[in-house]
Amino acid sequence: MTDNSTRLDHVVLWVRDPAAAAAFYEDAVGLEPLMVAEYAAGKASFPSVRVNEETILDLAPLSLAQYMNMVPGGTESAGHPVNHVCLSFPEDEFDALRARLEERSVSVSGFSYDASGARGPAKRSFYFRDPDGNVFEARHYE
C-alpha cells in the first residue's frame, strides 16, 4: 500500500449521548477518545474515537441531523446507525471520482474546504449517495 492509496478516513455514527458513546468505545472497545473535553465544553460539535492512525469514528448527536442538507434527504438520516462514510483519495483520484459520478448523473454536493478529519484538515471534500441511499464523503488532503 502506498501513502496515496484509497483508504477509509472516518465514519460518522449517530448516537444519543456522544460523551457516553466515547466512554463506551474507550472502555469497552479500547479506542482512543478525541475531542471529548472540547465537546463537553461546547467547543466541538461532537467527539470522536481513533480506530488507527488514519481512521476515526465521529460520534454525532442526533441534533446535528438538521445540518445534513448537503445531499437531498440527508436530514432524514438521523436515527440510522451510520450518518456517512468518508473515503480519502489522492487528489487526482478525487477529481476522477467526481468526474465519474457526474458522468453517471449522480448528484454531488459542492466542495467543502479544510474540513477536519482523521489526518487533520482536508483540502477539499464533497458528498454523494450510493444507489441504496448511503451517504459518502470523498476528500483529499494533499
Side-chain angles (χ1 to χ4, degrees):
M1 182 161 76
T2 67
D3 285 338
N4 284 325
S5 62
T6 301
R7 54 186 69 165
L8 181 65
D9 186 85
H10 69 274
V11 175
V12 178
L13 303 175
W14 287 123
V15 298
R16 289 182 299 279
D17 182 343
F24 168 80
Y25 283 104
E26 178 181 20
D27 298 338
V29 185
L31 301 179
E32 175 190 359
L34 305 169
M35 306 288 288
V36 176
E38 293 86 344
Y39 172 75
K43 295 179 180 177
S45 300
F46 51 84
S48 304
V49 291
R50 184 162 295 287
V51 175
N52 59 40
E53 69 181 44
E54 298 177 343
T55 307
I56 59 176
L57 300 177
D58 290 333
L59 308 171
L62 296 172
S63 60
L64 290 182
Q66 64 184 321
Y67 303 108
M68 296 304 303
N69 59 2
M70 72 289 290
V71 292
T75 56
E76 288 86 42
S77 69
H80 296 272
V82 176
N83 170 290
H84 73 274
V85 175
C86 179
L87 299 174
S88 173
F89 298 88
E91 185 174 8
D92 59 339
E93 291 181 31
F94 172 89
D95 291 329
L97 169 65
R98 188 174 179 97
R100 285 192 308 272
L101 293 170
E102 290 173 340
E103 287 169 6
R104 290 162 176 79
S105 299
V106 174
S107 294
V108 295
S109 74
F111 288 113
S112 297
Y113 300 92
D114 299 320
S116 180
R119 292 188 280 160
K123 187 171 179 182
R124 292 182 299 163
S125 63
F126 69 89
Y127 295 83
F128 64 95
R129 285 183 177 269
D130 73 8
D132 293 304
N134 294 302
V135 177
F136 281 82
E137 177 183 359
R139 63 174 43 201
H140 75 91
Y141 285 96
E142 62 282 336

